[in-house]
Amino acid sequence: MTTAAFMILLAGTVGAYLLNRHAAEQIRNRGARLHSLAGFHGLYGALLVAVPTLVVVLVWLLVEGAVIDRLVMSGLPAAALDGLGAGERQLILSEITQLAGGRQFGQPQPWVLEAAARMVRLRLASDVLLVATVLALGGGMAVLAWRRVSPDFRARQQAERIVNGLMVFCSTIAIFTTVGIVASLVFETGRFLAMIPWTEFLLGTRWEPQMAIRADQIAAQGSFGVIPVFLGTMVITVVALVVAVPVGLFSAIYLNEFASPRTRRMVKPVLEILAGVPTVVYGFFAVLTIAPALREFGAATGLPIAPNTALAAGLVMGVMLIPFISSFTDDALTAVPRSLRDGALALGATRAETVMNVLFPAAIPGIVGGILLAVSRAVGETMIVVMAAGLIAKLTLNPLDSVTTVTVQIVTLLIGDTAFDSPKTLAAFALGMLLFVVTLAINVLALRIVRKYREIYD
Amino acid sequence: MNRAAAPVTPAVLATVKIQARGVQVFYGAAHALKDVSIDILDRTVTAFIGPSGCGKSTFLRCLNRMNDTIEIARVEGTILLDGQDIHDSGVDPVQLRARVGMVFQKPNPFPKSIYDNVAYGPRIHGLARNKAELDAVVERSLRRAALWNEVKDRLASPGTGLSGGQQQRLCIARAVATSPEVLLMDEPCSALDPIATAQVEELIDELRSQFSVVIVTHSMQQAARVSQKTAFFHLGHLVEYGDTEQIFTIPRDPRTESYISGKIG
């Protein structure tokens, strides 16, 4: 039935388009001058039918279930729900819903069967009502649009206004989602900070979030000092940048300035393939290739190398960031005007001197912007570190040691047996909030630098 | 050295600085320059004139092998600088460009300070042994480019912050600072207003005492004002080359005459 409603909507839209366009063409054929082209009259009709009807259908589908559930529950015999908690009511409702869907378990009580039958009737009524509404509304709007067709009617402006509204609506979806995410983070973080003082969270040096969820459990008193976790993130980020920045920079400089066009055509796409490798695959690579190699190296040389090192995770993350940095550098170098290049070459500078003394300084703001964006990706990267980094938070700067990161902790805190009123779980939101603030700050800084750089040449 | 002291009629006294014979340039399949032979004199301003796309800038860029930087360009023929073939395998284009400086159509100061812009050439070629010498080179070059008085108090401010005319004179100072023997100028005044143009022209006239200057220009008045020798290019051919006065008063080739009188181009 819902499909039928959508079909009617589609047909109505197309119909209104054709109807209005035909009406406008008729007017034109009689010799009157139309303000808008006939196509715009058609578009106006189509939009006038499609937009409000679609909104009604979507809202209807959203609230339909809840309304029917409430009607069914309120129609139950008064004695059936007496003294039942929220969970038990929920169970009864789901039993009714199952029955209404045709799945019967055991021998339900007669009043449950009756409720299920009522639910089926209500659903049918709702569907019929929906189709009727769509028909009435769509038809009404089509007639309204059709009656407006006249030589002077500004269909183009009206249609553009509706389209404009649609675009505004779509762009606000992204904004509201962001606002919602931030709001939920802030709310949960607030709850966390109500249990754990912020001084302990931000300045504490011990991260042991394992604590009793139920009163009868035996567990340590959790401690929530974020410093070792953040230190882990920083160690891995630094290792990643030590790999990615030089490799990315030099490969971009080589491809941009020294490579022949043929080499460039072949190498550049290969480099960009790196950007398309899923991070899970990078994670495999870190765990199955890099980490054992490091361990063997450690065994051979006597270096104390942990099985889950920050080095392995950082190295692989660095490889992941190479295309990021090289493509930013490439763009920045390409944006340097050719005249600067010629100017340096004409003074007798070699290609290397031209790159190092002239192009690089001119491109540096763009490159720095790229590196900062890479940093914020490294800080927020999850999959590689979940697979390759450790779980225990250690207060160390040694990349050969096992460390954990903010993202790894968020994942582990939210996996498994969780209760959303325990500091253990809420700590994940506080970590997320901290991560969000840090990456936001880095991104803002990066975008500011990139924008400042644009002003130089445009 | 006598000639520098008394450059009364340099065109007569000057020796040949650059000798080009049968120069051809191809950009991919396009034949941009066809069989150009010319003798460019020392301590003389030589003007290249001709309609757009006639090959004058292309030929200019041959003289310091800037065409090497364009992937699809191919240059044939011989160009001798002081009798030595600039395409000889023993010639390093980097050193050649230090001897044959170039000023471009659009001012292109580096995004560095005024001082560093001028000091760039001397630095990369090791022309100054210490800071004092470098300071002297920078000051001398800026004075020659008639820019010293305007910028002497702000040598540390960025060269890109100067006005268009000042930027172009900065670029000239930058080119002069490496003490080239030949200075190539590709329409150096096309982005300048009349006042800045007059300053640059004055400067060109002054540079003649030390360098051989080759200037590409679209303005025939400018060619007549600053040059002693003029070459007229048309459709990739060098049509006519002679004393500027003769070219502008009694051109031998009918195409030169049509161009000068405004019938073609």
Side-chain angles (χ1 to χ4, degrees):
Chain A
M1 282 307 256
T2 319
T3 322
F6 276 107
M7 294 306 288
I8 292 167
L9 176 58
L10 185 66
T13 307
V14 174
Y17 175 82
L18 295 173
L19 188 70
N20 266 23
R21 202 181 68 174
H22 181 72
E25 276 166 352
Q26 288 288 309
I27 292 176
R28 194 186 57 205
N29 291 345
R30 280 199 298 270
R33 268 184 64 89
L34 286 171
H35 169 270
S36 304
L37 293 174
F40 281 110
H41 283 279
L43 183 63
Y44 174 73
L47 286 170
L48 211 58
V49 171
V51 175
T53 319
L54 189 64
V55 169
V56 166
V57 172
L58 290 181
V59 171
W60 190 291
L61 293 178
L62 272 180
V63 301
E64 183 189 27
V67 170
I68 291 177
D69 286 352
R70 183 152 299 181
L71 284 176
V72 168
M73 289 307 273
S74 65
L76 290 178
L81 294 178
D82 269 353
L84 291 181
E88 281 141 332
R89 282 162 188 260
Q90 198 65 41
L91 276 177
I92 291 173
L93 178 61
S94 82
E95 191 185 1
I96 296 171
T97 313
Q98 291 292 338
L99 269 175
R103 288 176 295 273
Q104 186 171 345
F105 303 100
Q107 199 52 248
Q109 295 184 2
W111 56 267
V112 173
L113 278 172
E114 191 196 319
R118 198 162 55 244
M119 182 174 259
V120 172
R121 280 201 305 278
L122 280 171
R123 281 188 181 164
L124 191 63
S126 165
D127 282 346
V128 172
L129 216 56
L130 174 63
V131 170
T133 313
V134 168
L135 267 176
L137 186 62
M141 286 313 228
V143 171
L144 189 69
W146 177 72
R147 285 183 54 170
R148 284 212 178 151
V149 178
S150 74
D152 291 333
F153 181 59
R154 302 188 160 221
R156 178 164 49 82
Q157 276 88 338
Q158 294 292 330
E160 278 169 2
R161 262 182 48 198
I162 299 175
V163 172
N164 199 12
L166 277 178
M167 289 191 281
V168 170
F169 173 73
C170 289
S171 55
T172 46
I173 288 180
I175 294 172
F176 279 119
T177 315
T178 314
V179 170
I181 290 173
V182 173
S184 81
L185 271 181
V186 168
F187 179 69
E188 303 290 352
T189 307
R191 285 177 62 194
F192 172 74
L193 291 180
M195 296 181 211
I196 308 289
W198 66 270
T199 45
E200 192 201 322
F201 177 62
L202 286 182
L203 305 174
T205 54
R206 257 162 42 93
W207 177 265
E208 278 155 15
Q210 309 313 327
M211 62 187 296
I213 293 175
R214 294 189 312 273
D216 56 341
Q217 260 182 335
I218 299 165
Q221 184 62 33
S223 53
F224 296 90
V226 83
I227 285 181
V229 182
F230 241 89
L231 212 59
T233 293
M234 268 168 54
V235 170
I236 289 181
T237 304
V238 167
V239 172
L241 289 180
V242 165
V243 175
V245 171
V247 175
L249 273 186
F250 283 114
S251 61
I253 289 175
Y254 170 71
L255 287 178
N256 212 305
E257 300 299 324
F258 296 94
S260 69
R262 249 193 64 195
T263 319
R264 190 180 150 87
R265 262 203 310 278
M266 291 194 303
V267 174
K268 229 186 149 200
V270 175
L271 201 62
E272 275 157 9
I273 287 175
L274 276 183
V277 176
T279 50
V280 167
V281 176
Y282 279 118
F284 287 155
F285 182 58
V287 174
L288 300 180
T289 311
I290 301 291
L294 279 176
R295 200 159 49 234
E296 272 167 37
F297 177 77
T301 55
L303 273 172
I305 297 183
N308 288 323
T309 58
L311 191 62
L315 284 177
V316 173
M317 201 190 283
V319 172
M320 180 193 82
L321 293 177
I322 288 171
F324 217 85
I325 288 181
S326 77
S327 75
F328 257 86
T329 308
D330 194 55
D331 288 350
L333 284 176
T334 312
V336 177
R338 191 183 163 82
S339 66
L340 277 186
R341 216 166 299 229
D342 281 354
L345 290 174
L347 281 176
T350 61
R351 279 210 171 266
E353 282 166 343
T354 308
V355 171
M356 284 340 269
N357 304 333
V358 179
L359 300 185
F360 204 67
I364 203 106
I367 294 170
V368 170
I371 291 175
L372 284 180
L373 287 180
V375 170
S376 78
R377 271 211 64 181
V379 169
E381 168 55 39
T382 309
M383 209 57 218
I384 294 175
V385 283
V386 164
M387 294 174 82
L391 287 176
I392 312 294
K394 263 193 210 165
L395 197 62
T396 176
L397 284 173
N398 179 7
L400 299 179
D401 214 338
S402 158
V403 298
T404 190
T405 69
V406 179
T407 47
V408 170
Q409 288 307 312
I410 293 177
V411 171
T412 48
L413 288 176
L414 291 181
I415 282 177
D417 205 4
T418 54
F420 278 81
D421 49 2
S422 141
K424 176 183 179 251
T425 317
L426 292 174
F429 293 96
L431 285 178
M433 185 76 207
L434 203 56
L435 204 59
F436 176 74
V437 170
V438 168
T439 48
L440 185 72
I442 296 172
N443 278 352
V444 168
L445 189 67
L447 288 177
R448 279 185 76 113
I449 289 174
V450 170
R451 193 169 311 143
K452 194 176 156 210
Y453 143 81
R454 276 210 198 105
E455 284 166 3
I456 297 177
Y457 296 113
D458 284 2
Chain B
M1 282 299 112
N2 292 338
R3 284 191 297 272
V8 194
T9 49
V12 179
L13 290 173
T15 53
V16 173
K17 186 72 186 171
I18 296 175
Q19 250 183 331
R21 291 292 174 269
V23 176
Q24 319 257 4
V25 178
F26 303 87
Y27 288 126
H31 197 174
L33 201 63
K34 295 159 192 163
D35 199 23
V36 171
S37 300
I38 194 170
D39 287 343
I40 289 167
L41 303 182
D42 201 6
R43 293 168 207 284
T44 305
V45 177
T46 307
F48 289 177
I49 60 171
S52 296
C54 67
K56 53 194 190 310
S57 291
T58 300
F59 183 57
L60 194 75
R61 292 170 66 91
C62 289
L63 300 181
N64 65 346
R65 290 184 58 179
M66 276 303 276
N67 282 329
D68 291 13
T69 65
I70 300 170
E71 307 277 353
I72 54 165
R74 200 172 83 246
V75 180
E76 289 172 8
T78 51
I79 299 172
L80 307 180
L81 175 67
D82 285 338
Q84 194 195 14
D85 190 345
I86 65 168
H87 289 106
D88 194 273
S89 58
V91 173
D92 181 359
V94 165
Q95 279 167 358
L96 172 72
R97 289 179 199 140
R99 290 174 67 194
V100 183
M102 189 165 195
V103 175
F104 293 85
Q105 183 171 356
K106 239 181 80 189
N108 56 350
F110 301 139
K112 297 166 178 282
S113 71
I114 294 172
Y115 184 94
D116 286 340
N117 260 285
V118 182
Y120 185 72
R123 272 190 185 134
I124 57 172
H125 295 298
L127 298 183
R129 268 166 306 177
N130 51 44
K131 180 84 170 83
E133 272 189 34
L134 192 60
D135 287 349
V137 169
V138 169
E139 178 173 347
R140 194 166 64 239
S141 309
L142 284 170
R143 279 191 194 283
R144 300 209 65 156
L147 193 60
W148 175 252
N149 288 331
E150 290 161 59
V151 301
K152 65 182 172 198
D153 299 323
R154 48 172 174 147
L155 289 175
S157 56
T160 41
L162 298 171
S163 75
Q166 287 174 326
Q167 284 189 12
Q168 191 62 306
R169 278 180 286 149
L170 178 64
C171 293
I172 294 172
R174 189 175 70 187
V176 167
T178 49
S179 313
E181 298 158 36
V182 180
L183 191 59
L184 309 175
M185 302 179 114
D186 191 354
E187 298 181 39
C189 300
S190 65
L192 304 185
D193 67 23
I195 296 169
T197 302
Q199 283 167 327
V200 171
E201 285 180 5
E202 212 171 295
L203 176 66
I204 292 170
D205 198 51
E206 198 228 295
L207 293 175
R208 174 161 64 98
S209 64
Q210 251 193 341
F211 311 118
S212 171
V213 179
V214 184
I215 175 171
V216 165
T217 178
H218 265 131
S219 152
M220 281 174 279
Q221 289 84 352
Q222 186 173 54
R225 279 195 302 265
V226 300
S227 70
Q228 288 79 51
K229 287 282 200 177
T230 296
F232 171 62
F233 287 79
H234 188 235
L235 300 176
H237 294 284
L238 172 60
V239 174
E240 192 168 350
Y241 176 52
D243 289 337
T244 300
E245 216 179 291
Q246 172 254 313
I247 296 271
F248 280 98
T249 48
I250 37 168
R252 293 195 191 91
D253 195 289
R255 285 172 291 177
T256 316
E257 192 185 355
S258 330
Y259 182 67
I260 287 167
S261 56
K263 284 186 197 125
I264 59 169

